[in-house]
Amino acid sequence: MRILIVDDSSTMRRIIGNVVMQLGFTKDSFDEAEDGVKAWKLLSESRYDVILTDWNMPNMNGLELVKKVRSEGIHQKTPIIMITTEGGKGEVIIALKAGVNNYIVKPFNAEVLKEKLDGVLKK
């Protein structure tokens, strides 16, 4: 299982990575990127089973990354979970229409992430 964690906050990447490890994954099972541009580079070089991305990031935000992933490359069917502070109904709808499989509003706990990961990986 390979996971890509995309967030401009190094603290948030570390928190998400720690939660992923609490769920039984190893440090070797995930990569990190601080924006959509770096994430796209990693996505073009490696296969991932799930993408966990923030919405608000510089250079290429999470929504732009989702649209790019869904429109080209080898990850068009890869599950994407958006983890963001954008919790309004409108933002959720926009993200789902862009191709996000699930949505988590920050702050969150390990149980919420586990539930959402289980949901997208069992499809």
Side-chain angles (χ1 to χ4, degrees), residues 61-85:
N61 70 36
L63 193 62
E64 293 166 335
L65 175 64
V66 169
K67 290 177 180 178
K68 190 165 181 69
V69 168
R70 291 297 180 237
S71 67
E72 59 184 279
I74 60 172
H75 288 91
Q76 290 178 345
K77 303 269 190 242
T78 301
I80 301 173
I81 299 174
M82 188 163 278
I83 304 174
T84 181
T85 57

Side-chain angles (χ1 to χ4, degrees), residues 1-6 16 20 25 29-31 43 46-53 69-70 75 77-83 101-102 104 113 116-122:
M1 172 76 72
R2 302 276 302 139
I3 300 170
L4 179 58
I5 299 169
V6 189
I16 294 170
V20 165
F25 298 95
S29 64
F30 62 89
D31 291 323
L43 287 164
S46 301
R47 281 214 169 265
Y48 293 94
D49 298 295
V50 67
I51 301 165
L52 307 175
T53 185
V69 168
R70 291 297 180 237
H75 288 91
K77 303 269 190 242
T78 301
I80 301 173
I81 299 174
M82 188 163 278
I83 304 174
N101 298 84
N102 223 315
I104 298 173
L113 182 56
K116 303 291 185 176
L117 276 172
D118 286 347
V120 298
L121 295 175
K122 289 179 180 169

Side-chain angles (χ1 to χ4, degrees), residues 90-108:
E91 287 89 356
V92 174
I93 291 169
I94 289 167
L96 291 171
K97 284 184 176 177
V100 168
N101 298 84
N102 223 315
Y103 201 91
I104 298 173
V105 178
K106 295 174 188 173
F108 64 95

